[in-house]
Amino acid sequence: MSEVEGVGPQALPGLREQVARIIEEAGRQGASACEVSVSMEQGLSTSVRQREVETVEFNRDQGFGITLYVGQRKGSASTTGSGDAAIRETVAAALAIARHASEDEFAGLADPALMATEVADLDLYHPWEISPDEAVELALGCEAAAFAADKRILNADGTTLSTHRGCRGYGNSNGFIGAHCSSRHSLSCVMIAESGGQMQRDYHYDVSRIASELATPEVIGRRAAERAVRRLGARPVPTCDVPVLFSSELATGLFGHFLAAISGGNLYRKSSYLEGSLGQTLFPEWLSLDERPHLPRGLASAAYDGDGLATYAKPFVENGKLVSYVLGTYSGRKLGMPSTANAGGVHNLFVSHGDEDQAALIRRMGRGLLVTELMGQGLNLVTGDYSRGAGGFWVENGEIQFPVQEVTIAGNLRDMFRQIAAVGCDTETRSSIHTGSVLIERMKVAGS
């Protein structure tokens, strides 16, 4: 997988030229405006299980998608082709759709004055020159480390190594064309522990733009084994109302639910419990949430959003108060508000935190449930009601006592966010949402 095969910075001039050709063709066929996304991607993935190779997959894809407008009518089409004939046919298909679509007064490109004028280099491209044989060797080494970590590790549920690189371009008829390359690499290990007739599964993983910054296969395998063994002997607990501590890797999901609730699409569809909440205090006054889109090597960094607008650092929650929704151009128009340059999502969210790690938060909690596993999709975004199957560890006197399974935790997100007692300094960095463990003062734990 070398750069001479086409996926790499040397492809960017060609991508920009392709975007310009497609925009020109759309205008020639009668579109009043258009926007185009092009991509070239390739990747390698291998998985092993029980010391045997299960899969080795190499993929390479390319194509483009176009959205064009005829006045206030919109049509979209996409293709895996890239030649002149594919461009003509795809533009024609999108144009035919637009001409039959209903008019939408909010449709159209973003204001030209808001377009990004520069595409900063955010250091996102670090390809991993690894052969399939080398990838298999690393995955097998990771699994071997897990088996060697504890004699109660008797089975494996899959170890996967993946590496991906891609180049993307975006442009529109308002004069903006941007392109960039990025990479992403990961290694994950899932192991099964068995003792006394009980089996428990757990995992560990790492992800990075740079392969050399991944945790070693030995560390990932050993940690997966330790986590699985730690869950042996899990049992339910009686139903109770107690504090709940979400581990940092699960706390990212809590704030992901919050971002969904303040996203423009859910707000203008009136399908969010936080509709009309701008300016309200939703969190404790010490808590803030801010976006940092230009973080070098960040997993969600971006110089421009899906509309071509320049991204910028900003808070969504400041001193507990909601100060901004998450808006793209279209959702902003629907709500009568300007875009926040978040078409396509939020770019690196950071949650403020204190100086206590997870162990300190367990001591502070005293008695309650540390949640390390969630199951099901029990969230009603319209009402904020939250109910999920959970597993983790029971805490008494500030110390972990035994593992827990087959319980349900329930509450309402509005109450849960207000009742955040602390956010730990054990920040999760393998996600686009950077947060530590989150301690919530009280939730319903339904068990035996």
Side-chain angles (χ1 to χ4, degrees):
M1 295 200 309
S2 63
E3 287 188 18
V4 296
E5 292 179 83
V7 180
Q10 77 284 346
L12 295 181
L15 288 181
R16 296 187 186 96
E17 190 273 337
Q18 184 183 8
V19 169
R21 285 165 49 211
I22 298 169
I23 292 172
E24 182 181 359
E25 178 64 20
R28 190 190 69 78
Q29 291 195 30
S32 56
C34 76
E35 54 186 339
V36 178
S37 295
V38 301
S39 65
M40 299 175 61
E41 300 177 306
Q42 71 180 42
L44 171 69
S45 177
T46 183
S47 63
V48 303
R49 182 178 178 275
Q50 290 290 82
R51 303 177 178 87
E52 298 288 340
V53 178
E54 286 203 320
T55 62
V56 177
E57 299 177 351
F58 176 78
N59 69 281
R60 180 167 180 177
D61 303 295
Q62 67 176 30
F64 75 87
I66 181 171
T67 296
L68 53 73
Y69 302 88
V70 178
Q72 299 302 121
R73 303 174 187 269
K74 181 176 81 170
S76 300
S78 62
T79 180
T80 57
S82 59
D84 290 341
I87 291 174
R88 288 194 301 270
E89 292 169 3
T90 306
V91 168
L95 199 58
I97 294 170
R99 286 172 173 155
H100 288 87
S102 300
E103 289 195 359
D104 184 345
E105 62 178 308
F106 303 106
L109 303 179
D111 185 339
L114 300 177
M115 296 293 168
T117 57
E118 297 181 0
V119 178
D121 180 5
L122 301 177
D123 197 21
L124 305 181
Y125 185 70
H126 297 270
W128 192 0
E129 306 301 342
I130 185 172
S131 69
D133 287 343
E134 291 169 332
V136 166
E137 182 179 356
L138 288 176
L140 287 172
C142 182
E143 186 188 74
F147 276 120
D150 195 289
K151 63 182 180 181
R152 290 166 291 183
I153 297 295
L154 300 178
N155 203 344
D157 204 23
T159 297
T160 301
L161 183 148
S162 296
T163 175
H164 170 271
R165 68 181 70 175
C167 297
R168 293 179 175 272
Y170 168 85
N172 56 50
S173 53
N174 275 347
F176 174 79
I177 296 180
H180 70 280
C181 294
S182 64
S183 60
R184 189 181 182 96
H185 320 292
S186 64
L187 178 60
S188 64
C189 180
V190 186
M191 302 303 292
I192 299 172
E194 183 174 356
S195 179
Q198 187 185 67
M199 300 174 67
Q200 292 288 345
R201 172 173 34 211
D202 216 322
Y203 68 96
H204 194 56
Y205 74 99
D206 201 7
V207 59
S208 178
R209 297 280 189 192
I210 305 175
S212 62
E213 294 185 355
L214 289 172
T216 66
E218 293 76 18
V219 167
I220 291 174
R222 185 171 63 250
R223 183 62 178 141
E226 292 170 350
R227 287 170 59 115
V229 167
R230 194 182 181 202
R231 292 200 48 74
L232 288 170
R235 60 186 188 270
V237 294
T239 297
C240 53
D241 291 339
V242 292
V244 170
L245 176 61
F246 287 82
S247 68
S248 58
E249 61 188 358
L250 297 186
T252 60
L254 284 180
F255 292 107
H257 296 326
F258 175 73
L259 292 178
I262 63 169
S263 68
N266 287 321
L267 292 169
Y268 77 70
R269 295 185 186 98
K270 301 186 182 301
S271 58
S272 169
Y273 74 99
L274 291 181
E275 180 192 358
S277 60
L278 196 64
Q280 294 180 10
T281 298
L282 303 178
F283 292 88
E285 291 186 357
W286 51 264
L287 192 145
S288 296
L289 307 176
D290 68 284
E291 178 187 35
R292 306 176 194 176
H294 300 160
L295 184 69
R297 304 178 184 177
L299 292 177
S301 295
Y304 53 91
D305 78 343
D307 293 328
L309 273 62
T311 55
Y312 58 97
K314 58 183 169 294
F316 292 108
V317 172
E318 200 166 28
N319 298 324
K321 182 180 295 186
L322 180 63
V323 296
S324 175
Y325 291 140
V326 177
L327 304 175
T329 297
Y330 183 80
S331 61
R333 287 172 179 162
K334 292 281 285 187
L335 294 169
M337 305 175 72
S339 171
T340 60
N342 287 114
V346 172
H347 309 100
N348 303 319
L349 184 78
F350 281 74
V351 182
S352 60
H353 59 79
D355 56 5
E356 296 171 287
D357 60 13
Q358 187 183 93
L361 293 181
I362 288 173
R363 290 192 295 271
R364 185 202 280 212
M365 179 168 60
R367 176 178 182 267
L369 180 66
L370 166 62
V371 177
T372 60
E373 180 184 19
L374 289 170
M375 293 154 281
Q377 304 296 322
L379 171 64
N380 185 331
L381 202 62
V382 176
T383 63
D385 290 335
Y386 179 93
S387 178
R388 303 283 301 276
F393 298 89
W394 186 252
V395 174
E396 293 275 1
N397 301 317
E399 295 183 354
I400 289 176
Q401 301 298 314
F402 55 84
V404 173
Q405 65 180 9
E406 297 177 359
V407 299
T408 299
I409 57 174
N412 182 278
L413 287 179
R414 187 183 288 273
D415 297 330
M416 290 163 61
F417 291 139
R418 278 199 303 256
Q419 293 178 24
I420 291 178
V423 177
C425 61
D426 55 326
T427 303
E428 173 63 60
T429 60
R430 299 167 297 176
S431 168
S432 61
I433 298 176
H434 296 242
T435 178
S437 297
V438 172
L439 177 59
I440 295 177
E441 292 176 356
R442 191 159 296 273
M443 292 184 68
K444 173 71 74 177
V445 177
S448 57

